[in-house]
Amino acid sequence: MSSARTWLGGRWAVSAISGTLIVAALVVGRLAADSVWGDVLMIAAAVVAGTPVVIQAWRSLTAKVIGIDLLVSVAAIGAVLLGNYWEAAAVTFLFAIGHALENATLTRTRSALAELIAVAPDVATVMRDGRQVEVPAHTVATGETVLVKNGTKVPVDGIVIGGTGAVDEASITGESIPVEKLDGDQVFAGTISTGGFLQIEATGVGADTTLARIIHRVEEAQDAKAPTAQFMDRFSAWYTPAIIVLAIVLGAITRNVTLALTLLVIACPGALVISIPVSIVAGIGRGAKDGILIKGGEYLETSAKIDVVAVDKTGTLTEGRPYLTDVVTLPGTADAPALTDDEVLTLAARAEAGSEHPLAQPIVDAAVERGLDVHDLPEHTQPVPGKGIIATIDGHRIAVGNLALGATVAEHNGASSRDWAGTPAHEQAAAVVADLAAHGRTPMVVARDSHPVGVVAVADRLRSDAPEMVARLHDSGVSKVVMLTGDIEPVARAVADQVGIDEVRAGLLPEGKLDAVTALQRAGHTVAMVGDGVNDAPALATADIGVAMGAAGTGVAIETADIALMKDDLLKLPAAISLAKRTVANMRQNIVIALFTVGLLMVGVLFGGVTMAIGMLVHELSVLVVIVNAMRLMRPRRIAWHHDDNADRPAARPGTARPGRRFPLRHVQHVGD
């Protein structure tokens, strides 16, 4: 009984019953001399299929909306009153089938969301009072220890505190290759252990997990209307009443009510109305499967127009983990003998031990790695904003910073900055600084008691996929990639040359990046800004599209970014822009299909040959064509990028930092000997 009730409530029940009655009517009409019973069955078929349509039309009217259901209802009722029972039954039957197929295919376009919901874990194994206890996943408390065994789902967001294992993170990042997890690594709810045994400290549970945020974002995004969809809604609000008026006028002029009713049927804008939402749902769903979260249809359409991409250097084009590349010793004098490279590095490391600057730690780490004694802290430290640091070590004033810092030390020692700038040592230091900066390093002069004794340099490792990202952006239709960085001009230029960046704007504070984005917009560009979200926040907010990378572990980024790339993968950016362009192209194709079908049917009605039933059949077929066309977006796409990695790109200079290399890439014992 329950199965029968379930079937009757299913999407295909109305079509099946109506179709059976139509077949019975045709059989009875053939066999019986009297066609009354055949007419009765046809009317019954029209009533079964048409009742839901009439109910929906009435509900729309009470909400002051004139929709497609009203056109079909008027046409079907009119056909019955005129005695065209076959036309009434055929129109309502075909409309019911089209509605059921439409629902079924729309459900498939939302499959990404359904799959995300399906991977949400139900149970978790936690340690309580020294025992393993299986509990509902949403009841796990923050801070509890959760056990994840081979083949099971990770039930919470958390940090690995014991064990090792491999985890399939495809549901979060879109990458199918399992990721090794060790102590301190982050894991996400909904991912699957493919080997090993993990102990996890829960940091996010239930609605606070990354998976829950993704599901919420995809739900909102798929329901959000794009500007084109909003225009179509406004268009339909005027189009449908206009068709009713046109049908009335046509019927009055021709005195052919059947022709007027047929016009109502074939002019239904069903394919037109659904053409935009189905593409948006499919495009956003495809992006979610690939680890690309797009905020909604509006941002999808805007992303398709992007012609300039602005990127930060540190942490975006580079790994954000600087390391020591060079130690250069400078010649001494009679009063100040030259130091060895280890002595220069020791002085720099001891001075930087009291600094909070991000470039200080790589110098200290390098000295420790060499086995140098840098444990004794300086007696006094004085950070000089924008220049470096001055420290007192063993009675000597040690300065580590840019060339301007040396002048500051000289003035402290009673000399003039002009005297400092004119010394041979300063000129040699300036030459080394210029050379290192030209190679993409950040140089720092080491001075002892106003005398420069050496130069140390650090560099950030360039991401291996940064050049390919830029090439793919150009292949995707982006005309210009701009670097916005706070680093000095020579270093920024050197990195840009290696990556293939079109334009460099260096030495920028956060406000400067904001001004740069605004200037690009004023020039008529649609700008996407990619950054790490802290010092880039103003520019990210101002750009037409703000892109957050590696957002899987950042709930705020998932909720606020226009595009959130779940994996810290530069190649996801051109993939997102390509997806947006394909989705918008798909929307336009659907609009053309819908308008062409309606135009063709109208010509057929006016010049004869298209009946009400044929018109409804073609109309429903056009709806299905539109949906199937949109579903092409759901297929995984392997893009063959055609570009010459070396074309139009300056070759890296000898000695340029390469990913994975440890210091020193180049080691100069003395300069000027």
Side-chain angles (χ1 to χ4, degrees), residues 356-636:
E356 295 180 353
H357 195 279
L359 297 183
Q361 195 59 44
I363 296 173
V364 177
D365 291 343
V368 172
E369 187 174 321
R370 281 198 182 187
L372 303 178
D373 184 10
V374 295
H375 299 294
D376 293 336
L377 295 176
E379 292 124 43
H380 175 72
T381 58
Q382 177 191 346
V384 183
K387 295 181 180 180
I389 191 169
I390 301 172
T392 303
I393 299 175
D394 300 332
H396 296 281
R397 292 179 64 80
I398 308 299
V400 182
N402 57 26
L403 286 167
L405 182 63
T408 302
V409 175
E411 290 171 354
H412 275 287
N413 290 342
S416 69
S417 57
R418 184 177 302 174
D419 292 339
W420 152 261
T423 62
H426 171 271
E427 292 176 356
Q428 291 167 341
V432 173
V433 165
D435 180 55
L436 290 170
H439 286 78
R441 289 100 183 244
T442 300
M444 288 166 279
V445 178
V446 182
R448 183 173 65 179
D449 297 331
S450 304
H451 181 78
V453 295
V455 181
V456 294
V458 298
D460 199 353
R461 287 185 178 86
L462 187 69
R463 289 178 184 252
S464 59
D465 52 0
E468 186 175 1
M469 177 203 70
V470 174
R472 289 191 182 188
L473 284 173
H474 287 145
D475 290 345
S476 297
V478 174
S479 61
K480 185 162 61 175
V481 182
V482 181
M483 179 196 293
L484 306 179
T485 178
D487 213 337
I488 61 175
E489 181 85 15
V491 174
R493 287 283 177 193
V495 172
D497 287 346
Q498 297 174 67
V499 176
I501 295 291
D502 302 298
E503 183 179 323
V504 176
R505 302 190 184 189
L508 300 178
L509 296 173
E511 294 77 11
K513 295 182 181 181
L514 170 62
D515 293 340
V517 169
T518 303
L520 289 168
Q521 290 172 323
R522 282 199 302 266
H525 296 293
T526 301
V527 183
M529 175 69 194
V530 189
D532 57 18
V534 182
N535 60 341
D536 303 320
L540 285 167
T542 303
D544 297 285
I545 295 293
V547 182
M549 286 186 54
T554 311
V556 174
I558 294 175
E559 295 296 334
T560 60
D562 300 328
I563 295 180
L565 308 179
M566 304 308 295
K567 191 170 183 286
D568 194 13
D569 181 357
L570 289 176
L571 301 185
K572 293 284 187 184
L573 178 59
I577 295 175
S578 175
L579 174 64
K581 290 181 180 292
R582 287 189 292 124
T583 303
V584 170
N586 192 275
M587 289 162 50
R588 291 170 179 162
Q589 293 164 8
N590 283 347
I591 291 172
V592 170
I593 292 169
L595 291 176
F596 177 78
T597 303
V598 170
L600 191 65
L601 286 174
M602 280 190 171
V603 171
V605 168
L606 295 176
F607 289 93
V610 175
T611 64
M612 194 183 300
I614 292 174
M616 180 54 70
L617 176 62
V618 175
H619 168 266
E620 292 303 333
L621 287 176
S622 71
V623 171
L624 292 179
V625 169
V626 161
I627 294 175
V628 171
N629 184 50
M631 289 180 65
R632 293 188 301 115
L633 293 169
M634 295 297 296
R635 296 202 305 260

